[in-house]
Amino acid sequence: MVVMMMMMMVMMMVMMMVMMMVMVVMVVMMIKGDGGDDDDGGDDDDDDGYDDGYDDGDDDGDGGDDDDDDDAPVMEPDYLMCEECSRPFMDSYLSNSFDLSVCDKCRDNEVKHRLISRTEAKQLYLLKDCDLDQREPPLRFVLKKNPHNPRWGDMKLYLKTQVVKRSLEVWGSEEALEEARESREENREVQKQKRFNKKVK
């Protein structure tokens, strides 16, 4: 008996909710129906001189659309100019890795755009770590697995032309760099001779 009464109460509540929803829908429909037309059932034209604030886009009065003024600006892609062939290009290995404006077609891995290791840069061009890393702008590099032993860590490879340019900034001229090389080689020979003499004694 109690179960029956509970079921009847639930059914009555459901019916009341359905009726409330129907009433809400009817009220919404009535509101929408009243706000659309005027008493005469017709549409308002602009003949009464009333400015409704709508801009039809025809500022010059010729009856046409001013599409040129409304179009969004077209963004032109930023092309780089190749230093070798003077042709525009969008993207290249050298521009991404070393900030050098040379397209992939003109890239010369064997001579002009050869990569050298950090050790070579320091030994051949007498550069210190601070010359590579701290002097502005720091030289860019790419990482590559060490071919001698992968466990030694990745190698830092620099663009040779940029290393040469940096060495001239440090030493001032090719002549000064060459003199420093000769002086270092002489010192190396002297140290080698001293070590040999110690062993002989």
Side-chain angles (χ1 to χ4, degrees), residues 143-148 150 153-155:
L143 294 174
K144 186 178 180 182
K145 292 290 182 185
N146 195 310
H148 305 293
D154 293 339
M155 295 172 57

Side-chain angles (χ1 to χ4, degrees), residues 45-56:
D45 293 327
D46 291 337
D47 296 336
D48 57 357
Y50 175 70
D51 183 9
D52 59 359
Y54 175 78
D55 183 10
D56 61 359

Side-chain angles (χ1 to χ4, degrees), residues 2-201:
V2 175
V3 174
M4 290 285 290
M5 287 180 65
M6 291 284 290
M7 287 179 63
M8 288 180 63
M9 287 178 65
V10 169
M11 289 178 61
M12 287 178 62
M13 288 176 65
V14 170
M15 289 177 61
M16 287 177 63
M17 288 177 64
V18 171
M19 288 177 63
M20 287 176 65
M21 289 175 63
V22 170
M23 289 177 63
V24 169
V25 170
M26 289 177 63
V27 170
V28 170
M29 290 176 63
M30 288 175 59
I31 292 173
K32 284 186 177 180
D34 289 344
D37 299 329
D38 291 336
D39 294 338
D40 58 358
D43 294 333
D44 283 340
D45 293 327
D46 291 337
D47 296 336
D48 57 357
Y50 175 70
D51 183 9
D52 59 359
Y54 175 78
D55 183 10
D56 61 359
D58 184 17
D59 294 335
D60 52 9
D62 60 358
D65 293 334
D66 294 336
D67 290 337
D68 294 339
D69 296 336
D70 297 336
D71 288 343
V74 177
M75 299 297 290
E76 290 291 334
D78 292 332
Y79 286 99
L80 298 172
M81 197 65 65
C82 179
E83 295 176 2
E84 301 293 330
C85 64
S86 299
R87 293 180 179 174
F89 68 97
M90 284 282 292
D91 198 22
S92 75
Y93 173 78
L94 291 174
S95 67
N96 291 335
S97 302
F98 300 101
D99 198 23
L100 185 69
S101 294
V102 174
C103 66
D104 288 331
K105 291 181 180 178
C106 296
R107 179 180 165 194
D108 180 10
N109 291 335
E110 301 301 321
V111 181
K112 199 162 189 178
H113 306 120
R114 181 171 165 257
L115 302 181
I116 62 174
S117 68
R118 187 180 182 90
T119 303
E120 286 180 282
K122 292 168 69 175
Q123 290 179 350
L124 296 177
Y125 299 97
L126 308 185
L127 295 174
K128 300 176 182 177
D129 290 329
C130 60
D131 296 325
L132 298 170
D133 302 328
Q134 296 176 11
R135 185 182 285 259
E136 291 295 331
L139 291 187
R140 298 178 69 171
F141 58 86
V142 292
L143 294 174
K144 186 178 180 182
K145 292 290 182 185
N146 195 310
H148 305 293
N149 191 338
R151 289 180 292 181
W152 287 350
D154 293 339
M155 295 172 57
K156 289 183 178 180
L157 299 179
Y158 296 84
L159 192 63
K160 183 180 177 181
T161 54
Q162 293 180 344
V163 172
V164 171
K165 183 179 178 182
R166 178 56 52 87
S167 70
L168 294 178
E169 292 174 4
V170 172
W171 293 101
S173 65
E174 291 184 13
E175 291 78 13
L177 174 61
E178 191 59 36
E179 288 177 8
R181 280 179 184 152
E182 292 174 0
S183 175
R184 186 168 292 192
E185 187 62 31
E186 289 174 4
N187 290 336
R188 187 177 291 118
E189 290 297 326
V190 170
Q191 294 298 325
K192 187 186 291 185
Q193 187 64 39
K194 285 183 178 179
R195 285 194 296 270
F196 176 75
N197 292 340
K198 282 184 179 180
K199 288 180 180 179
V200 170
K201 290 179 181 179

